[in-house]
Amino acid sequence: MDIFNLIKNVSAETPDPESSTKNLQKLLKKSPEFIEKYKNQIHYIARLFSYSQFLSDYTINNPDKLSFALNNIKQPITKQKILYDSHTEYREIYKHAPFTFKKDFMKFIRDLKKRYLLIITLRYVCGITDLYRSMSELTSLAEAIFELTLDAAFMIMKEKFGDIKDRSFCIISLGKLGAQELNYSSDIDIISVYRSSDYMSSGIISQTGVRTNKIESHEYFCRLTGLFSSLLQSPTEDGIAYRVDMRLRPNGQKGDISHSLKAYSSYYEAWGKTWERMVLIRARPVTGDILLGNLFIVEIEPFVWKRSIDYNDIEEIIDMKIKIDNIHDTNDIKRSYGGIREIEFFVQTFQLLYGGNKISLRCGKMKDALNALLKEEILNSEDVLRLSESYSLMRKIEHILQMKDDLQTHKLPTEKNELKILARKLNFRSEKKFSSELRLKRLMIRDMYNSLFGLPDVKQDFMLLINQYLPEQGVFDYLSFKGFKYPDSALKHINTFNENINTFKTITERNLLRKLMSLFMEYIIQYENKDTLLRMFVTFMQKINKHKAYIDILLQRNDLREIIVNILSSSTYLTRTLLSLDNVEGIFEYHDTMIDFKTLEDRLYNILKNSKEPLISLRDFKLIEELKSGVLFLKGLHDVHSFTNILSNLADTVVRALTKYFKSDSDFAVVGAGAFGAMEMNIGSDLDLLFISTNDSLYSKAEDIIRFLSEYTSKGIAYKVDMRLRPDGSKGILLNNIKAYENYYFKSAHLWEIQSLLRARPVAGDRFLMRDFEDMRKKIIITRGGQITGSYMKDIRKRIIKKFSEKTSSYDIKRGMGGIKEIEFLVQYLQMKNASHYPDLISSNTLKSLKNLFKIGIVDINTESILSQSYTFLKTIETLLRLNELDVLKINSDITDIIARFMNLKNSEELKIKIEDIRLKINRITDMYYS
């Protein structure tokens, strides 16, 4: 194969065939014998020439340097190797030309850097080293040059100012050099420290024999530091060795460029700022008196690694990051969103917060810090993997961008072909795949960063247009990262929303809806059940998006957005209510925690009287009031007992308004039983009713009330009515007089029917009949209550538990073992057993009855406390289940996450443990009292 075809073929295998071909041809033209000699390694040269134009130009003009690099390509680059190989050359510079030493030395270190940078780059682009090994070799190169430079600086200082008694001085590296993760074209961040300020330099003897140029230690070491910096970064015809940045020293550019160990200690103790703590995380002695450097690290330890968390530091970190965000554009993969700096801030914030107590976190290298955060369980494995992969990708990009022209750049190319070449250098199949992968990782990092600091996620609007920026798999990965369990469904809902937006004619309308959706998304992504929440929200938006007034209100009021998301995320029942209402103005009202039920009753009566469809109006009324009270419960403004009391009062209001509507106030009364009678109604509770009258002609009034409550309509039913607690149950007559009730309960009623009387309560109608029923109820309970024994109650409970036996993966919170009914039955048993001696025990409400039992001394304070707290806990769970139209609690289902979050528990496992503990305690108590 001729040389031209060889060049063409090897170049074609590189990421940038055009650059590789062009540079190989230049080398061939200048040094044809070189190509022939290194024909077997031409693929290495081709790769180098496709990655770095700067090093291509250097080697074409200096083929001997390329020969040296190719001969050493397999040899690891270490500080010791560089110093050993360059020792003789360095010493010869001063020996042969002491008067031009400074100029010759600067040329020497610039050439030395290029010589070894060439080897390091070759090793990396040819796959001999990976990213982290390459960064380590770049660090070794800088350390070797620093050591030579400091030695040269001391020699020059001695020639000018003489020697100084205590030469103890150290260069402390910060940033990437401190972390041993140096870039190809990094600034070198340093500070310098000396031990003592007590000496003068010896000076030099002038031609007249006078000793001159004696200077104090502080000036000596400041001049030494300045000279060190100048030797490295002064521009020459060979360029610079390194850019040196000393702005991170105390007092910045206004401060002296070197300080004593004591001065550093005093400064950081009195004036040190949070950003300086963050900078010093990666402080490392790099050349000079390393023992002094280590003393410096020990001295600043109390400042950097505080023992207690100071949240003011976090505010300073946030301010720093915001300032950076305001400066740099989105193509900057170092400083912009989700970039290298953001990852560093994220990790270093955890190091600052916890490093005082966890020594393993006190490390400069990113990999070491991430491993420590994982080991200390501060971050989980998924977060560490995400951070590590993102950091590696962006550092690789940074390396490749900088090695091209030896420029300190962090910006992605904007020209499409350049972006394609960059993608190939990073082993991506296409520019599109690379861009989407990078964008996905940056979004993930930004979200993690914002989550850490509690910042608003300014990228939520991105989710609405996500499939325009990422390929399908990238979309699914991002949505999964955001916590969606079913990303394909989530994307479907987002697309549905966008399709709906596109039906609007004006740009203004579309923008308003997108803005509103973005505001809601800030809430949605915070919830565990975000898949269901997003689906429900899109449906809600479809319902209201034609109402500009609703959109405007929701854009203005954050509290309403929170209320709606709370409903959609926490209750399928209230969500269905919200979506079923023709008008949703009620949700926009500020809900009053104090409800005037008499006014509410009058309003409902007027609605029924004036409505063309009273059954529909009744259901709308009930749904809206349930929705309002449900919101207050979900927001924590009502506890479960207040909520069930409101639902019971609402049922009272409905029954009383209907009794009035059917003109049944005379010789007619309605009695509530069960949960209704006990004022413990819940969402979806039946209305257990009894009707009283001496007039059989009023039978139809009872039927009318039942029909209005339970007849099915387009809005469903108002309440399911249960009449089975009447005498003779479902076989008994609907309407009875007081005498008939009394006769039945005294002579025929089962003991469980006597028990049910405890929870009966007159609700509406003739006040004389209501009073008579209450008198009869007490008399029956006092007379027959004592017949109920503990063994009878235990037997009933066993039959109930057997009938509603629980599956191993679920809990029947209400009827199951150690559940709500267990507590209610025990309280009712103790009431009936002792009612003949203590008539005041006769009460329908469980908690009120429990307090009465304690006051009389039937239960002790510990038992009362356990039962009341357990009852509240279980009733809260039951209410959340009912709000989601469930009867039992299935472990590891979405509802457990909702309940755990509402009850401030860590997770569903803690919820399960607490339920088990409560059931065990309740069973022990019931066994004790029934025995």
Side-chain angles (χ1 to χ4, degrees), residues 57-148:
D57 294 339
Y58 174 67
T59 55
I60 289 167
N61 292 319
N62 300 277
D64 59 315
K65 301 298 192 296
L66 181 55
S67 178
F68 177 76
L70 290 169
N71 292 334
N72 287 274
I73 194 170
K74 300 292 186 179
Q75 290 292 318
I77 302 301
T78 64
K79 176 182 175 182
Q80 290 72 24
K81 175 178 171 55
I82 297 169
L83 291 174
Y84 179 82
D85 291 348
S86 61
H87 176 76
T88 302
E89 186 180 355
Y90 169 54
R91 289 302 170 194
E92 287 296 317
I93 294 172
Y94 185 80
K95 185 187 297 183
H96 288 121
F99 297 108
T100 61
F101 172 72
K102 181 176 179 182
K103 179 181 177 182
D104 293 342
F105 175 78
M106 289 168 70
K107 181 177 178 61
F108 161 67
I109 60 172
R110 281 152 180 75
D111 185 62
L112 184 68
K113 182 188 177 186
K114 290 173 189 172
R115 190 187 318 165
Y116 282 95
L117 185 63
L118 176 58
I119 302 173
I120 292 166
T121 306
L122 259 175
R123 284 166 56 77
Y124 178 66
V125 301
C126 294
I128 297 169
T129 57
D130 62 9
L131 170 70
Y132 289 95
R133 181 61 200 159
S134 182
M135 291 192 294
S136 176
E137 291 187 345
L138 288 167
T139 299
S140 295
L141 175 58
E143 289 177 350
I145 291 176
F146 272 34
E147 187 159 320
L148 293 168

Side-chain angles (χ1 to χ4, degrees), residues 286-348:
V286 69
T287 192
D289 185 345
I290 300 301
L291 179 59
L292 173 64
N294 289 331
L295 285 173
F296 170 84
I297 299 300
V298 171
E299 196 70 27
I300 64 171
E301 188 176 284
F303 167 65
V304 180
W305 307 112
K306 293 181 180 178
R307 295 290 178 183
S308 59
I309 294 175
D310 186 348
Y311 289 98
N312 290 326
D313 292 345
I314 297 179
E315 294 299 322
E316 287 190 45
I317 294 168
I318 293 171
D319 289 342
M320 290 162 57
K321 185 62 179 66
I322 289 172
K323 288 174 184 176
I324 293 171
D325 287 345
N326 290 337
I327 295 170
H328 299 281
D329 66 34
T330 56
N331 280 324
D332 190 325
I333 52 98
K334 179 178 181 179
R335 302 172 184 85
S336 187
Y337 80 91
I340 294 168
R341 185 64 58 81
E342 209 154 84
I343 297 173
E344 291 172 345
F345 269 51
F346 185 91
V347 172
Q348 289 166 5

Side-chain angles (χ1 to χ4, degrees), residues 618-888:
L618 172 62
R619 281 142 184 77
D620 276 339
F621 173 85
K622 184 229 179 190
L623 288 172
I624 290 171
E625 294 305 319
E626 276 185 336
L627 185 61
K628 289 179 181 178
S629 58
V631 166
L632 295 173
F633 171 68
L634 293 176
K635 282 178 68 67
L637 297 175
H638 283 314
D639 66 11
V640 67
H641 302 300
S642 298
F643 181 49
T644 55
N645 186 267
I646 288 171
L647 293 177
S648 302
N649 274 305
L650 178 59
D652 281 6
T653 298
V654 171
V655 171
R656 287 168 184 161
L658 284 175
T659 303
K660 190 175 178 182
Y661 177 70
F662 288 114
K663 299 180 173 55
S664 307
D665 294 344
S666 178
D667 198 17
F668 183 87
V670 184
V671 173
F676 180 33
M679 297 294 287
E680 293 167 356
M681 287 277 289
N682 216 321
I683 293 293
S685 288
D686 295 350
L687 284 190
D688 293 292
L689 299 180
L690 303 173
F691 294 103
I692 308 169
S693 180
T694 57
N695 188 347
D696 291 342
S697 65
L698 296 178
Y699 191 94
S700 62
K701 301 290 186 183
E703 289 184 319
D704 286 336
I705 291 173
I706 293 171
R707 179 172 62 85
F708 260 64
L709 290 170
S710 61
E711 185 173 295
Y712 188 81
T713 70
S714 60
K715 291 294 181 76
I717 64 172
Y719 294 97
K720 182 179 178 182
V721 176
D722 192 339
M723 300 295 300
R724 288 174 296 177
L725 292 181
R726 69 185 187 267
D728 295 319
S730 56
K731 297 177 182 178
I733 60 174
L734 194 61
L735 197 65
N736 259 317
N737 58 47
I738 288 292
K739 195 67 180 174
Y741 276 112
E742 186 175 350
N743 188 54
Y744 175 80
Y745 284 118
F746 265 125
K747 296 179 181 179
S748 307
H750 297 284
L751 288 178
W752 66 264
E753 292 177 290
I754 306 302
Q755 180 186 350
S756 70
L757 271 181
L758 268 174
R759 290 160 68 80
R761 173 179 60 89
V763 173
D766 190 314
R767 59 192 177 92
F768 297 108
L769 283 179
M770 293 168 69
R771 184 194 61 197
D772 290 345
F773 179 84
E774 185 62 23
D775 291 343
M776 178 213 69
R777 168 178 168 263
K778 289 183 178 179
K779 187 164 56 174
I780 298 293
I781 292 169
I782 289 169
T783 305
R784 294 199 59 190
Q787 297 173 12
I788 296 180
T789 64
S791 59
Y792 174 82
M793 296 299 285
K794 288 175 74 172
D795 184 59
I796 289 180
R797 282 295 298 139
K798 283 181 182 177
R799 278 187 278 163
I800 292 173
I801 291 169
K802 185 177 180 181
K803 182 178 179 181
F804 300 103
S805 59
E806 296 174 338
K807 297 178 181 178
T808 55
S809 61
S810 63
Y811 293 108
D812 190 328
I813 296 297
K814 180 179 179 180
R815 297 165 297 198
M817 182 179 61
I820 291 169
K821 284 297 178 186
E822 203 84 77
I823 298 172
E824 290 177 350
F825 273 44
L826 175 62
V827 171
Q828 291 160 19
Y829 163 69
L830 294 175
Q831 284 178 275
M832 291 186 292
K833 181 181 177 181
N834 296 281
S836 59
H837 298 292
Y838 305 102
D840 288 344
L841 282 175
I842 300 173
S843 169
S844 59
N845 183 267
T846 304
L847 281 187
K848 182 179 177 182
S849 301
L850 191 52
K851 284 183 174 60
N852 290 338
L853 289 167
F854 165 65
K855 286 177 184 177
I856 292 170
I858 294 171
V859 298
D860 59 35
I861 188 168
N862 185 52
T863 301
E864 190 270 338
S865 177
I866 291 172
L867 291 177
S868 61
Q869 288 178 25
S870 299
Y871 189 70
T872 298
F873 186 83
L874 295 174
K875 284 291 285 185
T876 303
I877 295 176
E878 183 203 24
T879 301
L880 290 166
L881 287 171
R882 291 292 191 90
L883 282 167
N884 286 278
E885 301 166 284
L886 298 170
D887 292 322
V888 297

Side-chain angles (χ1 to χ4, degrees), residues 17 73 174 183 205 219 221 245 327-328 341 348 420 768:
I73 194 170
L174 307 168
N183 289 344
I205 304 295
E219 183 181 354
F221 290 114
D245 191 338
I327 295 170
H328 299 281
R341 185 64 58 81
Q348 289 166 5
K420 285 182 179 178
F768 297 108

Side-chain angles (χ1 to χ4, degrees), residues 1-12 17 20-30 32 35-36 39 42 46:
M1 183 184 293
D2 65 52
I3 196 66
F4 293 104
N5 281 330
L6 178 62
I7 287 173
K8 181 180 178 182
N9 290 340
V10 294
S11 295
S20 180
T21 301
K22 180 184 70 175
N23 289 317
L24 280 170
Q25 287 174 346
K26 284 182 180 179
L27 180 61
L28 178 64
K29 184 177 180 180
K30 188 153 189 174
I35 293 285
E36 186 64 34
K39 188 183 292 185
I42 195 170

